[in-house]
Amino acid sequence: MSERRQLINLAYRLLGSLAEAEDAVQETYARWYALSEHQQQAIESPGAWLTTVASRICLDLLGSARVRRERYVGEWIPEPLPEPTEWINGRPGGATADPADRVTLDESINMAFLVVLESMTPAERVAFILHDVFRYSFAEVAEIVGRTPAACRQLASSARRRIRTSQAPAAPTAHRAGIVRDFKQAWEAQDIEALVGLLDPDATATGDGGGLVRAELRPVEGAELIARFFAGLAPRAADVTILERTVNGQPGLVAEQDGVTVAVYAFQVAGDRITHIWAVLNPDKIRPWTTD
């Protein structure tokens, strides 16, 4: 059971959903306990066995998730991680000697990163996360994915290119926090001009209501339209409190109404401007954010 935290870490990054990650890990342990005592004792490294099984379960789930998400109402955004449930934890046994670029565990949970992962094929995502984030060798990845080490190297390389072309250079956390705070204040003041000044001209805002709550079905594009959209929300949400919170390791905002979290906002900042806002309103995805 000491491997559970590591397995949740891995499965969340593979699936983009804490609920699905917990289900995958539960299934992994069910398969372990289905083995006889003799079979368990014959496994040289239970941790490696659990990782292999969990990764294969996630690979299967990613294939079916893609079909489910095609039927999803509106835009699908990865499930935001409530801060208390996130663990930053390295792989036991240290890094492998592969010279490829590495992604730290804290970088690999930010929303912009998870959204790019959604654009990858299941095999790309698994190969990339296992190698570049969790530091498994390509030989180990090949055994898990069921392909050759060379094929896995190619999958990870393709995934890395997607990340590089989509990621903005990271600004210091304090700088990002200041911009998000300024956005919150301008939003509460319904100051359209200030909001426009904080947004990149080509910024996009994406909402995920899952068909359960009202949300724009398509992303809102352009600083002016986004500013007017958010300013227009303020009068209809007089009893909503906007809080500054860490969302997937980055400065974000959380909207609460009567003590219940009703929206979680993640931001991508490049330079002095916000380039993307992700608003998760689907109550199934943000239920863990409401503390009893």
Side-chain angles (χ1 to χ4, degrees):
M1 292 305 293
S2 63
E3 296 290 329
R4 181 177 172 79
R5 179 177 293 184
Q6 173 79 355
L7 294 172
I8 291 281
N9 264 327
L10 173 65
Y12 173 72
R13 288 161 176 83
L14 290 177
L15 299 171
S17 164
L18 188 58
E20 289 182 4
E22 288 171 340
D23 287 346
V25 172
Q26 190 171 339
E27 171 63 20
T28 300
Y29 277 103
R31 294 187 188 184
W32 169 261
Y33 289 115
L35 299 175
S36 67
E37 188 177 348
H38 176 73
Q39 287 172 317
Q40 289 176 355
Q41 289 174 349
I43 294 170
E44 190 175 333
S45 172
W49 186 94
L50 289 166
T51 296
T52 298
V53 171
S55 299
R56 287 175 178 163
I57 289 170
C58 289
L59 188 58
D60 290 341
L61 284 172
L62 281 169
S64 58
R66 177 161 289 195
V67 175
R68 287 200 312 277
R69 288 165 194 173
E70 285 172 0
R71 298 196 298 263
Y72 193 78
V73 178
E75 298 289 323
W76 192 93
I77 298 175
E79 186 180 310
L81 261 188
E83 193 68 14
T85 62
E86 168 54 16
W87 307 283
I88 303 300
N89 205 24
R91 178 192 172 196
T96 62
D98 288 289
D101 295 346
R102 297 298 188 191
V103 177
T104 66
L105 275 170
D106 54 342
E107 288 174 331
S108 70
I109 58 161
N110 78 60
M111 191 60 76
F113 188 93
L114 292 174
V115 167
V116 179
L117 291 180
E118 287 298 316
S119 69
M120 298 179 185
T121 67
E124 274 181 335
R125 186 167 182 166
V126 173
F128 174 73
I129 292 295
L130 284 172
H131 178 265
D132 283 47
V133 180
F134 285 86
R135 317 251 172 143
Y136 284 82
S137 71
F138 283 119
E140 292 170 307
V141 176
E143 193 173 324
I144 291 169
V145 177
R147 304 198 185 193
T148 66
C152 291
R153 187 183 296 274
Q154 206 160 13
L155 286 169
S157 177
S158 170
R160 211 173 294 129
R161 281 195 299 274
R162 290 181 193 250
I163 295 288
R164 284 188 184 133
T165 56
S166 65
Q167 295 287 74
T173 301
H175 179 72
R176 293 196 301 270
I179 290 172
V180 172
R181 184 174 298 119
D182 289 345
F183 180 89
K184 171 183 178 285
Q185 291 170 351
W187 179 10
E188 290 172 332
Q190 300 173 50
D191 188 338
I192 292 174
E193 188 177 341
L195 287 169
V196 170
L198 290 164
L199 292 158
D200 184 89
D202 297 320
T204 58
T206 306
D208 175 350
L212 301 175
V213 298
R214 182 180 174 185
E216 294 294 312
L217 293 181
R218 295 181 181 278
V220 181
E221 299 180 347
E224 181 85 22
L225 285 177
I226 294 171
R228 292 190 180 280
F229 175 79
F230 274 89
L233 289 177
R236 295 183 308 201
D239 57 344
V240 172
T241 305
I242 306 297
L243 305 168
E244 296 174 13
R245 292 288 184 266
T246 299
V247 178
N248 283 58
Q250 307 283 327
L253 300 173
V254 171
E256 284 189 0
Q257 188 172 33
D258 299 327
V260 175
T261 298
V262 293
V264 176
Y265 298 89
F267 296 80
Q268 184 174 36
V269 175
D272 294 324
R273 301 290 183 95
I274 294 166
T275 57
H276 207 117
I277 303 170
W278 293 277
V280 183
L281 302 101
N282 183 336
D284 291 340
K285 291 186 177 185
I286 57 177
R287 193 166 286 117
W289 285 78
T290 297
T291 54
D292 297 325

